Amino acid sequence: AGLSTEERLKTVERFVARTGAKIRTDAEAAYVGWDDEIVLMPPFAYRNKEEYNSFLFHELIHWTGPRLGRCMGRGTEAQRDEEELIAELGSVLLSRHFCLMHDRQGVKESHLHHLSSRLDLFPDKDEVLTRVKRSALEAVDYLLTLSG
């Protein structure tokens, strides 16, 4: 038998703690590069724990950017859009890794919408998707290695 939802969520908490990322609560979700910290809304602001973790994973992937040499906020608009795709795909991969990827109140649908709307901004989708996939996998591997 697999882990219960509560056990999976506790596993996620341990995983996040082991990354060493600084996380604080504020009015919106973001990775703040100049402070090297993740900002999330309070847990009660999300529809459920899966949605909270989805946002947390997205920002954790951004947090890996400077550590893995990705252009963070200082590049072109296309580079920022690509970084958003990396963070969103990384969030999906982490959600799947921790078995939190089921369509509870539209969480999966939200990921798909975010990915497809960003990808539509690029004329050469195949080339961008190849880079995004490689970077998202690298970020996830990095986080999983940090967490032991």
Side-chain angles (χ1 to χ4, degrees):
L3 297 175
S4 71
T5 300
E6 199 57 41
E7 290 168 321
R8 287 193 305 271
L9 293 170
K10 292 222 179 283
T11 301
V12 169
E13 287 177 24
R14 287 190 299 274
F15 159 75
V16 172
R18 288 181 187 142
T19 66
K22 291 189 312 183
I23 302 170
R24 70 176 170 86
T25 302
D26 207 334
E28 62 184 49
Y31 167 67
V32 182
W34 60 84
D35 284 335
D36 191 33
E37 68 181 4
I38 293 169
V39 180
L40 292 170
M41 296 182 297
F44 65 80
Y46 298 91
R47 290 180 288 186
N48 51 54
K49 290 180 181 181
E50 288 85 355
E51 184 181 53
Y52 173 84
N53 283 316
S54 172
F55 276 82
L56 173 57
F57 292 159
H58 180 103
E59 300 309 332
L60 265 174
I61 298 295
H62 283 314
W63 179 82
T64 68
R67 290 153 177 82
L68 298 173
R70 293 195 314 272
C71 182
M72 298 295 299
R74 57 187 190 275
T76 65
E77 187 173 340
Q79 288 169 318
R80 290 190 299 273
D81 287 333
E82 192 167 313
E83 175 62 25
E84 282 302 312
L85 282 167
I86 292 165
E88 195 62 22
L89 181 56
S91 176
V92 169
L93 294 170
L94 285 171
S95 293
R96 295 217 24 145
H97 177 81
F98 290 105
C99 300
L100 300 174
M101 193 65 195
H102 53 281
D103 198 12
R104 178 162 174 193
Q105 296 184 11
V107 174
K108 189 189 301 184
E109 186 178 302
S110 174
H111 282 298
L112 292 173
H113 174 73
H114 196 108
L115 286 167
S116 66
S117 65
R118 288 281 178 173
L119 196 54
D120 283 346
L121 299 172
F122 294 93
D124 188 354
K125 291 171 184 38
D126 290 338
E127 183 181 316
V128 170
L129 203 49
T130 298
R131 285 194 311 268
V132 164
K133 183 175 137 185
R134 183 180 58 245
S135 293
L137 287 168
E138 180 184 32
V140 168
D141 287 344
Y142 176 78
L143 290 167
L144 292 172
T145 299
L146 276 182
S147 69

mmCIF file of all heavy atoms in Angstrom, residues 3 5-21 23 40 43 49-50 52-53 56-57 60 94 97-98 100 143 146-147:
data_model
loop_
_atom_site.group_PDB
_atom_site.id
_atom_site.type_symbol
_atom_site.label_atom_id
_atom_site.label_comp_id
_atom_site.label_asym_id
_atom_site.label_seq_id
_atom_site.Cartn_x
_atom_site.Cartn_y
_atom_site.Cartn_z
ATOM 1 N N LEU A 3 1.663 5.503 0.492
ATOM 2 C CA LEU A 3 1.553 6.435 1.607
ATOM 3 C C LEU A 3 0.212 7.151 1.568
ATOM 4 O O LEU A 3 -0.327 7.426 0.497
ATOM 5 C CB LEU A 3 2.676 7.472 1.531
ATOM 6 C CG LEU A 3 4.107 6.975 1.647
ATOM 7 C CD1 LEU A 3 5.073 8.125 1.425
ATOM 8 C CD2 LEU A 3 4.350 6.330 2.992
ATOM 9 N N THR A 5 -2.198 10.501 2.057
ATOM 10 C CA THR A 5 -1.990 11.896 1.664
ATOM 11 C C THR A 5 -1.230 12.643 2.748
ATOM 12 O O THR A 5 -0.296 13.400 2.453
ATOM 13 C CB THR A 5 -3.344 12.584 1.390
ATOM 14 O OG1 THR A 5 -4.008 11.877 0.336
ATOM 15 C CG2 THR A 5 -3.155 14.033 1.000
ATOM 16 N N GLU A 6 -1.586 12.431 3.997
ATOM 17 C CA GLU A 6 -0.906 13.113 5.106
ATOM 18 C C GLU A 6 0.575 12.732 5.163
ATOM 19 O O GLU A 6 1.437 13.592 5.378
ATOM 20 C CB GLU A 6 -1.607 12.780 6.432
ATOM 21 C CG GLU A 6 -1.298 13.749 7.549
ATOM 22 C CD GLU A 6 -1.651 15.203 7.216
ATOM 23 O OE1 GLU A 6 -2.705 15.455 6.617
ATOM 24 O OE2 GLU A 6 -0.840 16.086 7.557
ATOM 25 N N GLU A 7 0.887 11.469 4.939
ATOM 26 C CA GLU A 7 2.292 11.029 4.943
ATOM 27 C C GLU A 7 3.057 11.635 3.768
ATOM 28 O O GLU A 7 4.214 12.049 3.917
ATOM 29 C CB GLU A 7 2.369 9.494 4.893
ATOM 30 C CG GLU A 7 1.906 8.822 6.175
ATOM 31 C CD GLU A 7 1.722 7.322 6.005
ATOM 32 O OE1 GLU A 7 1.231 6.882 4.934
ATOM 33 O OE2 GLU A 7 2.072 6.588 6.945
ATOM 34 N N ARG A 8 2.409 11.716 2.598
ATOM 35 C CA ARG A 8 3.060 12.337 1.441
ATOM 36 C C ARG A 8 3.339 13.815 1.706
ATOM 37 O O ARG A 8 4.407 14.321 1.364
ATOM 38 C CB ARG A 8 2.205 12.168 0.185
ATOM 39 C CG ARG A 8 2.214 10.745 -0.346
ATOM 40 C CD ARG A 8 1.641 10.636 -1.737
ATOM 41 N NE ARG A 8 0.308 11.176 -1.909
ATOM 42 C CZ ARG A 8 -0.816 10.497 -1.729
ATOM 43 N NH1 ARG A 8 -0.775 9.236 -1.355
ATOM 44 N NH2 ARG A 8 -1.980 11.079 -1.925
ATOM 45 N N LEU A 9 2.397 14.502 2.327
ATOM 46 C CA LEU A 9 2.588 15.926 2.632
ATOM 47 C C LEU A 9 3.713 16.137 3.645
ATOM 48 O O LEU A 9 4.489 17.088 3.532
ATOM 49 C CB LEU A 9 1.280 16.552 3.119
ATOM 50 C CG LEU A 9 0.179 16.634 2.055
ATOM 51 C CD1 LEU A 9 -1.143 17.045 2.683
ATOM 52 C CD2 LEU A 9 0.572 17.577 0.926
ATOM 53 N N LYS A 10 3.834 15.251 4.615
ATOM 54 C CA LYS A 10 4.950 15.326 5.569
ATOM 55 C C LYS A 10 6.284 15.074 4.873
ATOM 56 O O LYS A 10 7.294 15.711 5.192
ATOM 57 C CB LYS A 10 4.735 14.349 6.720
ATOM 58 C CG LYS A 10 3.573 14.718 7.619
ATOM 59 C CD LYS A 10 3.940 14.512 9.068
ATOM 60 C CE LYS A 10 2.787 14.898 9.967
ATOM 61 N NZ LYS A 10 2.661 16.326 10.123
ATOM 62 N N THR A 11 6.289 14.162 3.903
ATOM 63 C CA THR A 11 7.494 13.906 3.119
ATOM 64 C C THR A 11 7.897 15.173 2.354
ATOM 65 O O THR A 11 9.077 15.517 2.283
ATOM 66 C CB THR A 11 7.267 12.735 2.137
ATOM 67 O OG1 THR A 11 6.919 11.575 2.894
ATOM 68 C CG2 THR A 11 8.488 12.456 1.298
ATOM 69 N N VAL A 12 6.920 15.872 1.806
ATOM 70 C CA VAL A 12 7.189 17.128 1.098
ATOM 71 C C VAL A 12 7.779 18.156 2.062
ATOM 72 O O VAL A 12 8.759 18.838 1.725
ATOM 73 C CB VAL A 12 5.911 17.678 0.421
ATOM 74 C CG1 VAL A 12 6.122 19.104 -0.068
ATOM 75 C CG2 VAL A 12 5.486 16.770 -0.726
ATOM 76 N N GLU A 13 7.222 18.270 3.250
ATOM 77 C CA GLU A 13 7.757 19.224 4.240
ATOM 78 C C GLU A 13 9.218 18.933 4.549
ATOM 79 O O GLU A 13 10.041 19.851 4.617
ATOM 80 C CB GLU A 13 6.938 19.171 5.532
ATOM 81 C CG GLU A 13 5.574 19.807 5.438
ATOM 82 C CD GLU A 13 4.777 19.654 6.728
ATOM 83 O OE1 GLU A 13 5.387 19.481 7.808
ATOM 84 O OE2 GLU A 13 3.538 19.708 6.645
ATOM 85 N N ARG A 14 9.556 17.659 4.739
ATOM 86 C CA ARG A 14 10.956 17.288 5.008
ATOM 87 C C ARG A 14 11.844 17.603 3.809
ATOM 88 O O ARG A 14 12.950 18.115 3.959
ATOM 89 C CB ARG A 14 11.054 15.808 5.386
ATOM 90 C CG ARG A 14 10.523 15.495 6.782
ATOM 91 C CD ARG A 14 10.858 14.067 7.209
ATOM 92 N NE ARG A 14 10.276 13.048 6.346
ATOM 93 C CZ ARG A 14 9.056 12.545 6.477
ATOM 94 N NH1 ARG A 14 8.270 12.944 7.472
ATOM 95 N NH2 ARG A 14 8.605 11.629 5.640
ATOM 96 N N PHE A 15 11.353 17.294 2.627
ATOM 97 C CA PHE A 15 12.091 17.576 1.397
ATOM 98 C C PHE A 15 12.416 19.070 1.299
ATOM 99 O O PHE A 15 13.568 19.450 1.066
ATOM 100 C CB PHE A 15 11.266 17.110 0.193
ATOM 101 C CG PHE A 15 11.625 17.747 -1.108
ATOM 102 C CD1 PHE A 15 12.779 17.366 -1.783
ATOM 103 C CD2 PHE A 15 10.818 18.721 -1.671
ATOM 104 C CE1 PHE A 15 13.110 17.955 -2.995
ATOM 105 C CE2 PHE A 15 11.142 19.310 -2.882
ATOM 106 C CZ PHE A 15 12.294 18.935 -3.539
ATOM 107 N N VAL A 16 11.410 19.905 1.477
ATOM 108 C CA VAL A 16 11.602 21.360 1.366
ATOM 109 C C VAL A 16 12.579 21.850 2.427
ATOM 110 O O VAL A 16 13.489 22.641 2.129
ATOM 111 C CB VAL A 16 10.251 22.104 1.448
ATOM 112 C CG1 VAL A 16 10.460 23.611 1.532
ATOM 113 C CG2 VAL A 16 9.375 21.741 0.253
ATOM 114 N N ALA A 17 12.437 21.382 3.654
ATOM 115 C CA ALA A 17 13.335 21.803 4.735
ATOM 116 C C ALA A 17 14.788 21.455 4.405
ATOM 117 O O ALA A 17 15.700 22.248 4.664
ATOM 118 C CB ALA A 17 12.920 21.162 6.047
ATOM 119 N N ARG A 18 15.002 20.301 3.808
ATOM 120 C CA ARG A 18 16.375 19.859 3.495
ATOM 121 C C ARG A 18 17.007 20.633 2.351
ATOM 122 O O ARG A 18 18.231 20.598 2.197
ATOM 123 C CB ARG A 18 16.376 18.371 3.172
ATOM 124 C CG ARG A 18 16.143 17.510 4.387
ATOM 125 C CD ARG A 18 16.187 16.045 4.024
ATOM 126 N NE ARG A 18 15.804 15.233 5.156
ATOM 127 C CZ ARG A 18 15.082 14.137 5.060
ATOM 128 N NH1 ARG A 18 14.658 13.698 3.888
ATOM 129 N NH2 ARG A 18 14.762 13.449 6.149
ATOM 130 N N THR A 19 16.220 21.323 1.548
ATOM 131 C CA THR A 19 16.812 22.118 0.464
ATOM 132 C C THR A 19 17.568 23.321 1.019
ATOM 133 O O THR A 19 18.487 23.813 0.382
ATOM 134 C CB THR A 19 15.749 22.634 -0.527
ATOM 135 O OG1 THR A 19 14.900 23.574 0.131
ATOM 136 C CG2 THR A 19 14.963 21.495 -1.154
ATOM 137 N N GLY A 20 17.144 23.799 2.192
ATOM 138 C CA GLY A 20 17.775 24.983 2.765
ATOM 139 C C GLY A 20 17.206 26.286 2.239
ATOM 140 O O GLY A 20 17.696 27.371 2.588
ATOM 141 N N ALA A 21 16.187 26.235 1.408
ATOM 142 C CA ALA A 21 15.587 27.457 0.866
ATOM 143 C C ALA A 21 14.916 28.258 1.975
ATOM 144 O O ALA A 21 14.241 27.698 2.831
ATOM 145 C CB ALA A 21 14.557 27.104 -0.205
ATOM 146 N N ILE A 23 12.024 30.547 3.168
ATOM 147 C CA ILE A 23 10.640 30.739 2.736
ATOM 148 C C ILE A 23 9.944 31.630 3.750
ATOM 149 O O ILE A 23 10.047 31.407 4.953
ATOM 150 C CB ILE A 23 9.908 29.387 2.619
ATOM 151 C CG1 ILE A 23 10.637 28.480 1.625
ATOM 152 C CG2 ILE A 23 8.453 29.591 2.207
ATOM 153 C CD1 ILE A 23 10.164 27.055 1.611
ATOM 154 N N LEU A 40 5.567 32.989 -0.254
ATOM 155 C CA LEU A 40 4.285 32.345 -0.548
ATOM 156 C C LEU A 40 3.178 33.019 0.246
ATOM 157 O O LEU A 40 3.433 33.564 1.329
ATOM 158 C CB LEU A 40 4.330 30.863 -0.163
ATOM 159 C CG LEU A 40 5.238 29.971 -0.987
ATOM 160 C CD1 LEU A 40 5.346 28.603 -0.334
ATOM 161 C CD2 LEU A 40 4.726 29.842 -2.404
ATOM 162 N N PRO A 43 -0.877 29.549 3.882
ATOM 163 C CA PRO A 43 -1.524 28.316 3.404
ATOM 164 C C PRO A 43 -3.043 28.423 3.241
ATOM 165 O O PRO A 43 -3.601 27.843 2.309
ATOM 166 C CB PRO A 43 -1.143 27.285 4.471
ATOM 167 C CG PRO A 43 0.162 27.777 4.998
ATOM 168 C CD PRO A 43 0.051 29.286 4.976
ATOM 169 N N LYS A 49 -3.989 21.833 -0.009
ATOM 170 C CA LYS A 49 -2.542 21.644 0.185
ATOM 171 C C LYS A 49 -1.834 21.316 -1.119
ATOM 172 O O LYS A 49 -0.664 21.661 -1.292
ATOM 173 C CB LYS A 49 -2.301 20.553 1.227
ATOM 174 C CG LYS A 49 -2.689 20.999 2.617
ATOM 175 C CD LYS A 49 -2.454 19.925 3.650
ATOM 176 C CE LYS A 49 -2.892 20.426 5.022
ATOM 177 N NZ LYS A 49 -2.657 19.443 6.065
ATOM 178 N N GLU A 50 -2.521 20.665 -2.027
ATOM 179 C CA GLU A 50 -1.912 20.365 -3.318
ATOM 180 C C GLU A 50 -1.615 21.652 -4.080
ATOM 181 O O GLU A 50 -0.552 21.788 -4.689
ATOM 182 C CB GLU A 50 -2.810 19.442 -4.154
ATOM 183 C CG GLU A 50 -2.856 18.020 -3.651
ATOM 184 C CD GLU A 50 -3.877 17.796 -2.540
ATOM 185 O OE1 GLU A 50 -4.514 18.767 -2.079
ATOM 186 O OE2 GLU A 50 -4.029 16.631 -2.140
ATOM 187 N N TYR A 52 -1.152 24.647 -2.728
ATOM 188 C CA TYR A 52 -0.052 25.287 -1.990
ATOM 189 C C TYR A 52 1.286 24.693 -2.423
ATOM 190 O O TYR A 52 2.237 25.427 -2.745
ATOM 191 C CB TYR A 52 -0.256 25.123 -0.485
ATOM 192 C CG TYR A 52 0.921 25.610 0.330
ATOM 193 C CD1 TYR A 52 1.052 26.958 0.660
ATOM 194 C CD2 TYR A 52 1.909 24.727 0.768
ATOM 195 C CE1 TYR A 52 2.144 27.414 1.398
ATOM 196 C CE2 TYR A 52 2.995 25.174 1.506
ATOM 197 C CZ TYR A 52 3.103 26.518 1.819
ATOM 198 O OH TYR A 52 4.190 26.955 2.539
ATOM 199 N N ASN A 53 1.374 23.365 -2.436
ATOM 200 C CA ASN A 53 2.621 22.711 -2.820
ATOM 201 C C ASN A 53 2.973 22.968 -4.278
ATOM 202 O O ASN A 53 4.156 23.085 -4.625
ATOM 203 C CB ASN A 53 2.573 21.217 -2.525
ATOM 204 C CG ASN A 53 2.777 20.942 -1.057
ATOM 205 O OD1 ASN A 53 3.646 21.519 -0.424
ATOM 206 N ND2 ASN A 53 1.955 20.081 -0.492
ATOM 207 N N LEU A 56 4.604 26.263 -4.193
ATOM 208 C CA LEU A 56 5.894 26.105 -3.517
ATOM 209 C C LEU A 56 6.906 25.453 -4.459
ATOM 210 O O LEU A 56 8.047 25.931 -4.596
ATOM 211 C CB LEU A 56 5.724 25.264 -2.252
ATOM 212 C CG LEU A 56 6.998 24.855 -1.516
ATOM 213 C CD1 LEU A 56 7.829 26.073 -1.122
ATOM 214 C CD2 LEU A 56 6.635 24.034 -0.285
ATOM 215 N N PHE A 57 6.514 24.389 -5.143
ATOM 216 C CA PHE A 57 7.420 23.710 -6.067
ATOM 217 C C PHE A 57 7.840 24.647 -7.208
ATOM 218 O O PHE A 57 9.000 24.676 -7.610
ATOM 219 C CB PHE A 57 6.778 22.449 -6.642
ATOM 220 C CG PHE A 57 6.563 21.342 -5.652
ATOM 221 C CD1 PHE A 57 5.622 20.357 -5.908
ATOM 222 C CD2 PHE A 57 7.293 21.256 -4.472
ATOM 223 C CE1 PHE A 57 5.420 19.312 -5.015
ATOM 224 C CE2 PHE A 57 7.100 20.218 -3.577
ATOM 225 C CZ PHE A 57 6.156 19.240 -3.848
ATOM 226 N N LEU A 60 10.364 26.960 -5.841
ATOM 227 C CA LEU A 60 11.607 26.226 -5.576
ATOM 228 C C LEU A 60 12.411 26.028 -6.857
ATOM 229 O O LEU A 60 13.651 26.114 -6.842
ATOM 230 C CB LEU A 60 11.305 24.853 -4.972
ATOM 231 C CG LEU A 60 11.330 24.720 -3.465
ATOM 232 C CD1 LEU A 60 10.863 23.330 -3.056
ATOM 233 C CD2 LEU A 60 12.686 25.035 -2.879
ATOM 234 N N LEU A 94 7.794 17.636 -9.763
ATOM 235 C CA LEU A 94 7.864 17.412 -8.318
ATOM 236 C C LEU A 94 6.529 16.921 -7.764
ATOM 237 O O LEU A 94 6.498 16.040 -6.895
ATOM 238 C CB LEU A 94 8.309 18.689 -7.597
ATOM 239 C CG LEU A 94 9.789 19.028 -7.721
ATOM 240 C CD1 LEU A 94 10.074 20.418 -7.148
ATOM 241 C CD2 LEU A 94 10.655 17.979 -7.026
ATOM 242 N N HIS A 97 6.413 13.384 -8.582
ATOM 243 C CA HIS A 97 7.380 12.642 -7.769
ATOM 244 C C HIS A 97 6.806 12.325 -6.382
ATOM 245 O O HIS A 97 7.007 11.234 -5.861
ATOM 246 C CB HIS A 97 8.674 13.445 -7.631
ATOM 247 C CG HIS A 97 9.686 12.799 -6.755
ATOM 248 N ND1 HIS A 97 10.515 11.790 -7.206
ATOM 249 C CD2 HIS A 97 9.982 12.983 -5.447
ATOM 250 C CE1 HIS A 97 11.289 11.388 -6.208
ATOM 251 N NE2 HIS A 97 10.989 12.093 -5.137
ATOM 252 N N PHE A 98 6.104 13.292 -5.805
ATOM 253 C CA PHE A 98 5.540 13.113 -4.465
ATOM 254 C C PHE A 98 4.092 12.610 -4.501
ATOM 255 O O PHE A 98 3.397 12.639 -3.484
ATOM 256 C CB PHE A 98 5.640 14.413 -3.667
ATOM 257 C CG PHE A 98 7.055 14.759 -3.301
ATOM 258 C CD1 PHE A 98 7.724 15.773 -3.959
ATOM 259 C CD2 PHE A 98 7.726 14.038 -2.322
ATOM 260 C CE1 PHE A 98 9.048 16.080 -3.633
ATOM 261 C CE2 PHE A 98 9.038 14.341 -1.988
ATOM 262 C CZ PHE A 98 9.695 15.359 -2.659
ATOM 263 N N LEU A 100 1.382 13.823 -5.758
ATOM 264 C CA LEU A 100 0.388 14.848 -5.444
ATOM 265 C C LEU A 100 -0.299 15.356 -6.709
ATOM 266 O O LEU A 100 -1.009 16.338 -6.671
ATOM 267 C CB LEU A 100 1.053 16.039 -4.726
ATOM 268 C CG LEU A 100 1.733 15.729 -3.409
ATOM 269 C CD1 LEU A 100 2.464 16.968 -2.894
ATOM 270 C CD2 LEU A 100 0.732 15.239 -2.372
ATOM 271 N N LEU A 143 17.339 19.573 -6.650
ATOM 272 C CA LEU A 143 16.572 19.636 -5.403
ATOM 273 C C LEU A 143 16.513 18.288 -4.702
ATOM 274 O O LEU A 143 16.660 18.203 -3.485
ATOM 275 C CB LEU A 143 15.150 20.158 -5.669
ATOM 276 C CG LEU A 143 15.060 21.624 -6.046
ATOM 277 C CD1 LEU A 143 13.672 21.951 -6.587
ATOM 278 C CD2 LEU A 143 15.410 22.517 -4.864
ATOM 279 N N LEU A 146 19.847 17.675 -3.087
ATOM 280 C CA LEU A 146 19.987 18.480 -1.863
ATOM 281 C C LEU A 146 19.241 17.870 -0.684
ATOM 282 O O LEU A 146 19.715 17.930 0.456
ATOM 283 C CB LEU A 146 19.406 19.885 -2.075
ATOM 284 C CG LEU A 146 20.252 20.942 -2.721
ATOM 285 C CD1 LEU A 146 19.470 22.247 -2.779
ATOM 286 C CD2 LEU A 146 21.566 21.142 -1.983
ATOM 287 N N SER A 147 18.080 17.324 -0.979
ATOM 288 C CA SER A 147 17.221 16.829 0.098
ATOM 289 C C SER A 147 17.612 15.431 0.572
ATOM 290 O O SER A 147 17.015 14.902 1.508
ATOM 291 C CB SER A 147 15.763 16.838 -0.337
ATOM 292 O OG SER A 147 15.553 15.870 -1.329
#
